Amino acid sequence: MARTASLSGFPEWLPEERLVELHVLDTLREVFELHGFGSIETRAVETVGQLLRKGEIDKEVYGLSRLQDDEGEEARAGKHDPHALALHFDLTVPFARYVVENAGYLAFPFRRYQIQKVWRGERPQEGRAREFTQADIDVVGDGELPFRYDVEIALVIAEALSALPIPDFRLRINNRKLAEGFYRGIGLDDTAGVLRSIDKLEKIGPAKVADLLKAELGATDEQAQLALKLAGIRTEDTTFVGQVRALGVTNELLEEGLNELEQVIDAAVQRAPGKVVADLSIARGLDYYTGTVVETVLVGHEQLGSICSGGRYDALASKGNRKFPGVGLSIGVTRLVSRILSQDLAKASRSVPTAVLVALTNDDSWGAAQDVAAQLRSRGIATEVAAKAEKFGKQIKFADRRGIPFVWFTDDDGNHQVKDIRSGDQVAAFPELWTPPSEDLTVQVITAPAAVAAPQA
């Protein structure tokens, strides 16, 4: 992973690295489909108005225009023109638009997963790229969405992450209603402003967050300290409820949020023990979240940032008086894969899918070699045919450089032999019967001990 990218923030993997990424994607896809989520793909571009209507992140959005604009089109390409086009920065906003436009064709509650590239104009650093892949799952209802889906989404993600070659993780869960109700209960009505300040807690520390609350929101010392005490509550069970009530704040919205978060944590303790914590410092920066909010960290790799985040949004998608509330979580696939590769947490058993190279005895044997390859492929064995009849030693060296474990030989009498070039063993074989050992039939992703043991911070 010491290679220098030719364009910073736009990662490209070597073939063996891409095989690890494909393993991650296939694993996520399998878990999502086992839970009944269907796949969709939305377009890469949205209008600027669509992207920015629920949160001011315009500095991160890539605008889209042609090098040679039509007359008057250049002016429309500005970031403040709601009709200008831009690349999507996440998959939730495009999904909301997709639901509204296709509502007449969807069965609700609608369960979908979506694995696509997104683009975000961030400063490139480890774990942060400008082009990256996300894997999202969401459930959206028509008019209402039972809270039980908030619980289910968290459990599905815990199962999916547990199946990946990564260190232990924690889903840190809070509830916006709980936080907003608490702030109103202590007399801070600009709840969005408080959330934005609390969201900076890990970056700047409690003292500076208190200063922000007082300087920008007019909070008193007591109000600032109460907000920080709430953010300091973190439990692996439902004991957070008593800790919040001990702060002496009463508010109807606070009680509703407490009840919802208690249900999520209670279910997680039973079905995903040790994977979920109630963390009342979690705020999430985007404005469209209205209830459950989640961020996920790798234990011992917290400096990497959140590898999976999301939550409940009740008003992101609407069509007239018809609303489509939803809940979803998004896994940062590229961030995960970059950490897997840089820390050698997993690797592919070989660099190519090919299991067998069919060698050529002479140039006239190419057609017969293709027949052998076809028989092997018909039984699911990935096979290549040598391009020219070089000395067998050179053909074996070619297979070794490619990472191909077996070389197939056919003599002039039509007898076949296959050689395991790793061990040197060579045996007689028949194209219609021979199969490599199961571990060599397909590329395996081998998990390193560091991926399952608790890593050092």
Side-chain angles (χ1 to χ4, degrees):
M1 294 304 295
R3 292 176 294 116
T4 300
S6 59
L7 192 58
S8 179
F10 297 85
E12 295 176 331
W13 308 126
L14 293 173
E16 57 267 35
E17 296 170 337
R18 171 64 172 161
L19 287 169
V20 173
E21 182 181 42
L22 288 174
H23 170 76
V24 170
L25 295 174
D26 289 343
T27 301
L28 296 176
R29 195 176 291 118
E30 180 180 356
V31 173
F32 295 162
E33 291 182 358
L34 281 173
H35 286 269
F37 291 85
S39 176
I40 69 164
E41 184 171 296
T42 58
R43 65 199 185 206
V45 299
E46 300 287 340
T47 64
V48 169
Q50 180 74 22
L51 290 175
L52 301 185
R53 67 191 183 92
K54 288 292 181 179
E56 289 298 325
I57 60 165
D58 51 326
K59 291 181 179 179
E60 298 183 3
V61 174
Y62 280 111
L64 192 68
S65 64
R66 291 184 296 166
L67 292 178
Q68 294 186 4
D69 294 317
D70 293 335
E71 185 177 351
E73 190 172 332
E74 185 174 356
R76 290 184 53 201
K79 64 180 180 180
H80 297 298
D81 180 357
H83 302 292
L85 298 180
L87 296 171
H88 57 220
F89 63 86
D90 75 354
L91 299 179
T92 303
V93 174
F95 174 57
R97 189 263 312 156
Y98 176 94
V99 168
V100 170
E101 293 182 357
N102 294 282
Y105 304 95
L106 303 177
F108 293 95
F110 178 49
R111 304 162 71 91
R112 84 82 165 87
Y113 76 87
Q114 190 171 346
I115 301 176
Q116 278 185 250
K117 296 274 192 182
V118 299
W119 295 266
R120 197 171 293 179
E122 297 188 296
R123 183 173 65 85
Q125 53 186 299
E126 185 179 8
R128 290 188 179 274
R130 292 176 173 175
E131 177 185 69
F132 53 98
T133 300
Q134 288 187 332
D136 286 24
I137 57 170
D138 287 78
V139 181
V140 171
D142 185 358
E144 63 176 3
L145 183 70
F147 178 74
R148 187 159 287 172
Y149 287 111
D150 290 43
V151 182
E152 182 184 359
I153 285 283
L155 296 177
V156 173
I157 287 294
E159 180 180 330
L161 292 176
S162 296
L164 299 180
I166 58 175
D168 198 10
F169 61 89
R170 294 290 182 275
L171 271 72
R172 303 164 62 189
I173 306 181
N174 194 8
N175 190 290
R176 280 278 184 96
K177 295 176 185 176
L178 187 164
E180 292 181 13
F182 186 89
Y183 303 148
R184 290 175 185 172
I186 62 175
L188 293 176
D189 293 328
D190 184 1
T191 57
V194 181
L195 284 167
R196 282 193 292 271
S197 297
I198 295 295
D199 198 34
K200 300 173 183 177
L201 189 58
E202 290 186 352
K203 292 182 180 179
I204 65 175
K208 290 185 177 179
V209 168
D211 291 340
L212 280 177
L213 291 173
K214 289 184 283 187
E216 297 183 0
L217 301 171
T220 64
D221 285 334
E222 183 182 4
Q223 288 172 325
Q225 290 308 310
L226 279 169
L228 287 171
K229 284 181 180 179
L230 180 74
I233 295 174
R234 179 172 179 166
T235 69
E236 295 185 356
D237 53 26
T238 58
T239 56
F240 70 90
V241 176
Q243 293 184 35
V244 172
R245 289 191 173 134
L247 295 177
V249 178
T250 58
N251 179 275
E252 187 176 338
L253 188 62
L254 165 62
E255 287 299 319
E256 186 178 341
L258 267 176
N259 178 261
E260 290 184 356
L261 185 56
E262 184 179 25
Q263 290 182 58
V264 175
I265 300 302
D266 184 56
V269 168
Q270 299 177 48
R271 300 188 176 275
K275 300 300 183 185
V276 174
V277 296
D279 187 337
L280 275 56
S281 69
I282 299 302
R284 298 294 299 141
L286 294 172
D287 294 341
Y288 53 68
Y289 293 114
T290 56
T292 302
V293 285
V294 181
E295 289 190 357
T296 310
V297 294
L298 296 180
V299 176
H301 299 259
E302 288 83 0
Q303 76 283 1
L304 183 66
S306 180
I307 59 161
C308 173
S309 57
R312 162 75 70 143
Y313 46 93
D314 286 324
L316 183 60
S318 61
K319 189 174 185 180
N321 293 326
R322 190 179 179 188
K323 295 191 180 300
F324 303 95
V327 61
L329 290 173
S330 174
I331 295 174
V333 174
T334 301
R335 179 174 290 188
L336 269 180
V337 172
S338 66
R339 181 49 59 110
I340 290 171
L341 297 175
S342 67
Q343 300 292 312
D344 292 323
L345 299 177
K347 62 181 180 179
S349 58
R350 57 179 185 263
S351 58
V352 293
T354 312
V356 180
L357 174 72
V358 181
L360 297 183
T361 306
N362 53 61
D363 284 335
D364 293 335
S365 66
W366 187 82
Q370 289 289 349
D371 293 338
V372 170
Q375 286 183 285
L376 294 173
R377 292 181 193 127
S378 71
R379 292 185 294 108
I381 304 169
T383 307
E384 293 181 29
V385 175
K388 54 184 179 180
E390 297 180 298
K391 291 181 179 180
F392 284 153
K394 284 190 174 182
Q395 294 186 67
I396 290 172
K397 285 183 179 179
F398 171 78
D400 188 41
R401 287 197 307 272
R402 291 270 290 149
I404 302 171
F406 297 96
V407 178
W408 190 281
F409 303 99
T410 305
D411 63 25
D412 293 337
D413 295 328
N415 297 314
H416 304 281
Q417 291 191 326
V418 64
K419 182 184 185 74
D420 184 336
I421 65 174
R422 299 162 300 182
S423 65
D425 295 339
Q426 187 165 321
V427 298
F430 298 93
E432 66 275 13
L433 296 176
W434 180 84
T435 299
S438 58
E439 65 269 20
D440 293 319
L441 183 60
T442 58
V443 177
Q444 307 293 314
V445 171
I446 304 166
T447 303
V452 292
Q456 297 297 315

Coordinates of all heavy atoms in Angstrom, one line a residue, residues 35 45 107 113 138 161 173-174 199 216 221 235 324 363 372 374 400:
H35 N -31.7 -10.9 4.3 CA -32.7 -10.2 5.1 C -33.8 -9.6 4.2 O -34.5 -8.7 4.7 CB -32.0 -9.2 6.0 CG -31.3 -9.8 7.1 ND1 -31.8 -10.0 8.3 CD2 -30.0 -10.3 7.2 CE1 -31.0 -10.5 9.2 NE2 -29.8 -10.7 8.5
V45 N -25.8 11.5 -11.0 CA -26.0 13.0 -10.8 C -27.4 13.3 -10.3 O -28.4 12.6 -10.5 CB -25.8 13.7 -12.2 CG1 -24.4 13.5 -12.7 CG2 -26.8 13.3 -13.2
A107 N -43.7 -1.6 -3.5 CA -44.5 -2.1 -2.4 C -43.9 -1.7 -1.1 O -42.7 -1.9 -0.8 CB -44.5 -3.6 -2.5
Y113 N -31.2 -2.3 -0.9 CA -29.8 -2.1 -0.7 C -29.2 -1.5 -1.9 O -29.7 -1.7 -3.0 CB -29.0 -3.3 -0.2 CG -28.7 -4.3 -1.3 CD1 -27.5 -4.2 -2.1 CD2 -29.5 -5.5 -1.5 CE1 -27.2 -5.2 -3.0 CE2 -29.2 -6.4 -2.4 CZ -28.0 -6.3 -3.2 OH -27.7 -7.2 -4.2
D138 N -31.8 0.5 3.5 CA -32.8 1.4 4.0 C -34.2 0.6 3.9 O -34.4 -0.2 3.1 CB -33.0 2.7 3.2 CG -31.8 3.6 3.4 OD1 -30.7 3.4 2.8 OD2 -32.0 4.6 4.1
L161 N -21.3 -6.6 9.3 CA -19.9 -6.3 9.6 C -19.2 -7.4 10.3 O -18.0 -7.6 10.1 CB -20.0 -5.1 10.6 CG -20.4 -3.7 9.9 CD1 -20.5 -2.6 11.0 CD2 -19.5 -3.3 8.8
I173 N -24.9 4.4 19.2 CA -26.3 4.8 18.8 C -26.8 5.8 19.8 O -26.7 5.7 21.0 CB -27.2 3.5 18.8 CG1 -26.6 2.4 17.9 CG2 -28.6 3.9 18.3 CD1 -27.5 1.2 17.8
N174 N -27.5 6.8 19.2 CA -28.2 7.8 20.0 C -29.5 8.1 19.3 O -29.9 7.4 18.4 CB -27.4 9.1 20.0 CG -27.8 10.1 21.1 OD1 -28.7 9.8 21.9 ND2 -27.3 11.3 21.0
D199 N -21.6 17.7 17.9 CA -21.0 16.8 16.8 C -19.5 17.1 16.7 O -18.7 16.2 16.2 CB -21.6 17.1 15.5 CG -21.4 16.0 14.5 OD1 -21.3 14.8 14.9 OD2 -21.3 16.3 13.3
E216 N -22.0 31.1 20.6 CA -22.9 31.1 19.4 C -24.4 30.9 19.7 O -25.2 31.3 18.9 CB -22.4 30.0 18.4 CG -21.0 30.2 17.9 CD -20.6 29.1 16.9 OE1 -21.4 28.2 16.6 OE2 -19.4 29.2 16.4
D221 N -23.5 28.9 31.6 CA -22.5 27.9 32.0 C -23.3 26.6 32.4 O -22.9 25.5 32.1 CB -21.7 28.4 33.2 CG -20.7 29.4 32.8 OD1 -20.2 29.3 31.7 OD2 -20.3 30.2 33.7
T235 N -23.3 3.7 27.6 CA -23.5 2.4 28.3 C -23.6 1.3 27.3 O -24.1 1.6 26.2 CB -24.7 2.5 29.2 OG1 -25.9 2.5 28.4 CG2 -24.7 3.6 30.2
F324 N -42.8 9.8 3.1 CA -42.2 8.5 3.1 C -41.0 8.4 4.1 O -39.9 8.6 3.8 CB -41.6 8.2 1.7 CG -42.6 8.3 0.6 CD1 -42.8 9.5 -0.1 CD2 -43.5 7.2 0.3 CE1 -43.7 9.5 -1.1 CE2 -44.4 7.3 -0.7 CZ -44.6 8.5 -1.4
D363 N 2.7 -25.2 -31.5 CA 1.7 -24.2 -31.9 C 0.4 -24.8 -32.5 O -0.7 -24.3 -32.4 CB 2.3 -23.2 -32.9 CG 3.2 -22.2 -32.3 OD1 3.0 -21.9 -31.1 OD2 4.1 -21.7 -33.0
V372 N -9.6 -28.6 -24.0 CA -9.4 -29.0 -22.6 C -9.9 -27.9 -21.7 O -10.6 -28.1 -20.7 CB -7.9 -29.2 -22.3 CG1 -7.6 -29.4 -20.8 CG2 -7.4 -30.5 -23.1
A374 N -12.2 -25.7 -22.3 CA -13.6 -25.6 -22.3 C -14.2 -26.6 -21.3 O -15.2 -26.3 -20.6 CB -14.2 -25.8 -23.7
D400 N 3.5 -19.0 -12.7 CA 4.0 -18.6 -11.4 C 3.9 -17.1 -11.2 O 3.4 -16.6 -10.2 CB 5.4 -19.1 -11.2 CG 5.8 -18.9 -9.8 OD1 5.0 -19.1 -8.8 OD2 7.0 -18.4 -9.6

